[in-house]
Amino acid sequence: MTRTRIFSGVKPTGHLTLGNYLGAVRQWVREDQHRADALFCVVDLHALTVEHDPARVRRLSRQAATLLLASGLDPRLCTLFVQSHVDEHTRLSYLLECTATDGEMRRMIQYKEKTARERARGGSVRLSLLTYPVLMAADILAYGAHEVPVGDDQTQHVELTRDLAVRFNQRYGQVFTVPRATRPSVAARVMDLQDPTSKMGKSHADTAGIVYLLDEPDVVRRKVLRAVTDSGTSVEYDPEGRPGVANLLEVLAACSGGGRPEELAAEYDSYGALKKDTAEAVVEVLRPVRERHAELVADPSYVDGVLRAGAERARGLARPLVDRAHEAVGLLPPL
Ligand code: AMP
Ligand code: TRP
């Protein structure tokens, strides 16, 4: 039996948040890298789909890789690399553009939301934002991944990846593995502390409701204590009616490991106490990550070495599969 292969990625469009950590990274660290052949990728090409500053993208890519290691990814167990270091992603992406339809792309929720926001500001939208889910599909399919551990917001993109894999295989013969999304049982969608109806996203302009992995303990406490709650006073887990309190309960459950959000609700009779315990639980979860990050920053050649070896392994895995896809669609193999 072949070993399960896992692929996931994180975009260097901003500093990593508690949402990235609880929704994705922690599961990679605790479970995925131990039970499967897991590849984790800093997907820097995806950061170019929106207006970007080249120096910042470069800095954030390195920081993301360093933070993934600081969070506990172990290069002896898994493969960590940077997307643009492996040409097969863009090589395969074009073939998948020839498999997908434009209507399919325009139906992607993230695309619709981001274009609406951008157009409202009178801005333009890069073509790559439309085709971005195809590149994401290429990221996954190039490695024959079986599982894709992601937060809630990526489910639709993984569904598209499945559709493209099935369609390609039907048209041109069996080349791709059809992957499936996996998600954490709690905190699959951490909400913004100031706006609990929208996702805690790393590139939002207003940072008051976003906890970054590198925030100092006092900053974390301030952000959590100032979280917007709801007009009620009793603590209940009701994501629809009381999204602010539900979000705090989810974060507390995920960080304390002390039970389900529904059960935790019963232990509190005030919002103040809930916020205080949540703040401390988050501070404790982030403490070792910050400490390890500081050590790794002092040793950049270690991080470079990990990324170099990671890219080399990734290339070796993707190359034959992407070659096969090229051949299957009718391209003449190099002579
Ligand atoms: P991104 O920051 O968009 O590159 O996302 C990297 C990973 O973190 C993806 O698996 C996302 O689904 C996950 N993620 C991002 N933001 C959140 C959030 N607020 N809650 C849960 N998961 C998230
Ligand atoms: N689109 C993902 C996000 O915004 C990042 C990503 C790119 C990804 N390629 C991927 C995630 C492949 C999983 C697998 O979060």
Side-chain angles (χ1 to χ4, degrees), residues 7-11 13 20 28 39 41-43 46 83 89 110 114 132-133 135-140 147-151 153-154 157-158 161 199 202:
F7 184 97
S8 200
V10 57
K11 273 192 317 262
T13 43
N20 293 129
W28 305 351
L39 295 115
C41 188
V42 177
V43 288
H46 289 280
Q83 184 188 30
H89 296 244
Q110 258 193 3
K114 286 191 184 175
Y132 148 99
L135 179 58
M136 174 164 166
D139 298 338
I140 298 165
E147 293 179 19
V148 186
V150 281
D153 60 325
Q154 296 302 316
H157 293 154
V158 180
T161 305
K199 176 185 93 157
K202 60 168 118 69

Side-chain angles (χ1 to χ4, degrees), residues 22-309:
L22 297 180
V25 177
R26 195 162 71 152
Q27 183 177 318
W28 305 351
V29 167
R30 287 194 180 170
E31 294 169 31
D32 298 332
Q33 67 175 349
H34 297 285
R35 69 180 175 85
D37 176 9
L39 295 115
F40 300 109
C41 188
V42 177
V43 288
D44 53 351
L45 297 171
H46 289 280
L48 312 185
T49 55
V50 290
E51 218 178 287
H52 75 283
D53 167 21
R56 184 163 186 265
V57 168
R58 204 173 294 128
R59 208 167 51 239
L60 288 173
S61 295
R62 177 171 274 287
Q63 190 195 64
T66 309
L67 271 170
L68 293 179
L69 291 170
S71 300
L73 286 189
D74 180 345
R76 289 168 304 186
L77 300 174
C78 68
T79 302
L80 175 64
F81 70 106
V82 175
Q83 184 188 30
S84 64
H85 293 175
V86 181
D87 290 339
E88 315 317 312
H89 296 244
T90 48
R91 256 183 95 218
L92 179 57
S93 183
Y94 181 72
L95 299 193
L96 297 178
E97 280 185 27
C98 300
T99 307
T101 67
D102 74 320
E104 223 163 18
M105 293 299 105
R106 288 179 209 286
R107 279 199 296 276
M108 293 292 123
I109 296 164
Q110 258 193 3
Y111 173 74
K112 288 201 276 194
E113 285 176 358
K114 286 191 184 175
T115 23
R117 232 181 291 143
E118 203 47 53
R119 298 225 160 98
R121 286 196 289 151
S124 60
V125 172
R126 295 185 179 181
L127 178 58
S128 53
L129 189 68
L130 179 64
T131 56
Y132 148 99
V134 176
L135 179 58
M136 174 164 166
D139 298 338
I140 298 165
L141 299 182
Y143 298 93
H146 304 92
E147 293 179 19
V148 186
V150 281
D152 232 12
D153 60 325
Q154 296 302 316
T155 315
Q156 196 189 26
H157 293 154
V158 180
E159 279 303 311
L160 173 82
T161 305
R162 292 169 59 87
D163 291 346
L164 296 181
V166 168
R167 195 177 308 155
F168 189 101
N169 289 344
Q170 275 169 355
R171 281 189 193 155
Y172 308 113
Q174 184 66 36
V175 174
F176 296 124
T177 303
V178 181
R180 66 185 184 90
T182 58
R183 36 171 286 171
S185 54
V186 68
R189 180 179 287 257
V190 179
M191 307 311 262
D192 190 296
L193 297 173
Q194 288 298 315
D195 174 12
T197 57
S198 68
K199 176 185 93 157
M200 184 184 283
K202 60 168 118 69
S203 43
H204 291 180
D206 184 358
T207 60
I210 305 170
V211 175
Y212 294 102
L213 295 193
L214 291 177
D215 277 347
E216 300 278 341
D218 279 347
V219 174
V220 174
R221 288 191 186 100
R222 193 168 65 233
K223 287 176 175 173
V224 177
L225 294 179
R226 287 188 189 160
V228 169
T229 38
D230 318 286
S231 51
T233 46
S234 64
V235 177
E236 282 163 44
Y237 182 69
D238 172 12
E240 292 286 315
R242 308 252 192 108
V245 170
N247 191 38
L248 289 173
L249 286 166
E250 292 225 9
V251 169
L252 176 63
C255 290
S256 66
R260 312 275 322 155
E262 300 84 330
E263 298 158 6
L264 288 172
E267 295 175 18
Y268 291 92
D269 51 19
S270 82
Y271 288 172
L274 171 63
K275 285 181 176 176
K276 198 158 159 290
D277 284 2
T278 305
E280 292 313 316
V282 175
V283 165
E284 287 317 311
V285 161
L286 297 189
R287 188 187 304 283
V289 178
R290 280 180 57 242
E291 288 172 359
R292 182 84 183 111
H293 179 265
E295 288 168 17
L296 289 167
V297 164
D299 188 4
S301 64
Y302 170 75
V303 179
D304 287 352
V306 168
L307 295 178
R308 195 178 311 117

